[in-house]
mmCIF file of all heavy atoms in Angstrom:
data_model
loop_
_atom_site.group_PDB
_atom_site.id
_atom_site.type_symbol
_atom_site.label_atom_id
_atom_site.label_comp_id
_atom_site.label_asym_id
_atom_site.label_seq_id
_atom_site.Cartn_x
_atom_site.Cartn_y
_atom_site.Cartn_z
ATOM 1 N N PRO A 89 -12.349 -4.667 19.586
ATOM 2 C CA PRO A 89 -13.412 -3.692 19.626
ATOM 3 C C PRO A 89 -14.508 -4.068 18.659
ATOM 4 O O PRO A 89 -14.318 -4.580 17.629
ATOM 5 C CB PRO A 89 -12.703 -2.333 19.187
ATOM 6 C CG PRO A 89 -11.299 -2.530 19.592
ATOM 7 C CD PRO A 89 -11.068 -3.977 19.333
ATOM 8 N N ALA A 90 -15.747 -3.796 19.134
ATOM 9 C CA ALA A 90 -16.908 -4.144 18.333
ATOM 10 C C ALA A 90 -16.898 -3.399 16.962
ATOM 11 O O ALA A 90 -16.572 -2.243 16.885
ATOM 12 C CB ALA A 90 -18.231 -3.808 19.084
ATOM 13 N N GLY A 91 -17.234 -4.179 15.941
ATOM 14 C CA GLY A 91 -17.316 -3.623 14.607
ATOM 15 C C GLY A 91 -16.044 -3.379 13.911
ATOM 16 O O GLY A 91 -16.055 -2.934 12.761
ATOM 17 N N VAL A 92 -14.912 -3.683 14.484
ATOM 18 C CA VAL A 92 -13.601 -3.415 13.858
ATOM 19 C C VAL A 92 -13.229 -4.682 13.030
ATOM 20 O O VAL A 92 -12.973 -5.711 13.584
ATOM 21 C CB VAL A 92 -12.492 -3.074 14.893
ATOM 22 C CG1 VAL A 92 -11.134 -3.039 14.173
ATOM 23 C CG2 VAL A 92 -12.832 -1.817 15.543
ATOM 24 N N ARG A 93 -13.201 -4.543 11.706
ATOM 25 C CA ARG A 93 -12.658 -5.652 10.828
ATOM 26 C C ARG A 93 -11.331 -5.295 10.173
ATOM 27 O O ARG A 93 -10.583 -6.159 9.720
ATOM 28 C CB ARG A 93 -13.747 -5.883 9.747
ATOM 29 C CG ARG A 93 -15.038 -6.500 10.244
ATOM 30 C CD ARG A 93 -14.771 -7.825 10.857
ATOM 31 N NE ARG A 93 -14.093 -8.711 10.050
ATOM 32 C CZ ARG A 93 -14.682 -9.587 9.208
ATOM 33 N NH1 ARG A 93 -16.040 -9.667 9.161
ATOM 34 N NH2 ARG A 93 -14.054 -10.441 8.492
ATOM 35 N N THR A 94 -11.050 -3.965 10.080
ATOM 36 C CA THR A 94 -9.772 -3.578 9.514
ATOM 37 C C THR A 94 -9.070 -2.708 10.562
ATOM 38 O O THR A 94 -9.214 -1.477 10.567
ATOM 39 C CB THR A 94 -9.946 -2.770 8.236
ATOM 40 O OG1 THR A 94 -10.712 -3.504 7.267
ATOM 41 C CG2 THR A 94 -8.525 -2.475 7.600
ATOM 42 N N PRO A 95 -8.387 -3.319 11.527
ATOM 43 C CA PRO A 95 -7.814 -2.572 12.665
ATOM 44 C C PRO A 95 -6.607 -1.672 12.270
ATOM 45 O O PRO A 95 -6.327 -0.730 13.011
ATOM 46 C CB PRO A 95 -7.439 -3.613 13.619
ATOM 47 C CG PRO A 95 -7.130 -4.837 12.770
ATOM 48 C CD PRO A 95 -8.108 -4.773 11.670
ATOM 49 N N LEU A 96 -5.978 -1.954 11.142
ATOM 50 C CA LEU A 96 -4.754 -1.278 10.899
ATOM 51 C C LEU A 96 -4.369 -1.248 9.425
ATOM 52 O O LEU A 96 -4.544 -2.189 8.655
ATOM 53 C CB LEU A 96 -3.538 -1.964 11.651
ATOM 54 C CG LEU A 96 -2.084 -1.485 11.478
ATOM 55 C CD1 LEU A 96 -2.028 -0.015 11.947
ATOM 56 C CD2 LEU A 96 -1.094 -2.345 12.077
ATOM 57 N N ARG A 97 -3.926 0.034 9.016
ATOM 58 C CA ARG A 97 -3.274 0.173 7.697
ATOM 59 C C ARG A 97 -2.022 0.971 8.021
ATOM 60 O O ARG A 97 -2.066 1.889 8.759
ATOM 61 C CB ARG A 97 -4.151 0.934 6.740
ATOM 62 C CG ARG A 97 -5.454 0.268 6.383
ATOM 63 C CD ARG A 97 -6.323 1.234 5.504
ATOM 64 N NE ARG A 97 -7.613 0.718 5.291
ATOM 65 C CZ ARG A 97 -7.968 -0.043 4.218
ATOM 66 N NH1 ARG A 97 -7.122 -0.235 3.293
ATOM 67 N NH2 ARG A 97 -9.205 -0.450 4.087
ATOM 68 N N PHE A 98 -0.844 0.559 7.345
ATOM 69 C CA PHE A 98 0.302 1.348 7.568
ATOM 70 C C PHE A 98 1.303 1.148 6.438
ATOM 71 O O PHE A 98 1.241 0.252 5.614
ATOM 72 C CB PHE A 98 1.033 0.959 8.906
ATOM 73 C CG PHE A 98 1.742 -0.345 8.940
ATOM 74 C CD1 PHE A 98 3.071 -0.485 8.611
ATOM 75 C CD2 PHE A 98 0.982 -1.499 9.243
ATOM 76 C CE1 PHE A 98 3.688 -1.717 8.736
ATOM 77 C CE2 PHE A 98 1.562 -2.761 9.285
ATOM 78 C CZ PHE A 98 2.997 -2.851 8.967
ATOM 79 N N SER A 99 2.145 2.196 6.241
ATOM 80 C CA SER A 99 3.179 2.113 5.202
ATOM 81 C C SER A 99 4.511 2.470 5.860
ATOM 82 O O SER A 99 4.631 3.163 6.812
ATOM 83 C CB SER A 99 2.831 3.124 4.098
ATOM 84 O OG SER A 99 2.864 4.528 4.598
ATOM 85 N N TRP A 100 5.519 1.902 5.285
ATOM 86 C CA TRP A 100 6.930 2.123 5.716
ATOM 87 C C TRP A 100 7.810 2.442 4.494
ATOM 88 O O TRP A 100 7.851 1.633 3.511
ATOM 89 C CB TRP A 100 7.400 0.875 6.453
ATOM 90 C CG TRP A 100 8.833 0.801 6.833
ATOM 91 C CD1 TRP A 100 9.591 1.789 7.359
ATOM 92 C CD2 TRP A 100 9.806 -0.278 6.510
ATOM 93 N NE1 TRP A 100 10.885 1.380 7.508
ATOM 94 C CE2 TRP A 100 11.046 0.127 7.035
ATOM 95 C CE3 TRP A 100 9.633 -1.561 6.017
ATOM 96 C CZ2 TRP A 100 12.128 -0.684 6.968
ATOM 97 C CZ3 TRP A 100 10.703 -2.359 5.922
ATOM 98 C CH2 TRP A 100 11.976 -1.986 6.434
#
Side-chain angles (χ1 to χ4, degrees):
V92 173
R93 291 299 304 269
T94 306
L96 176 64
R97 300 175 186 265
F98 72 95
S99 64
W100 170 48

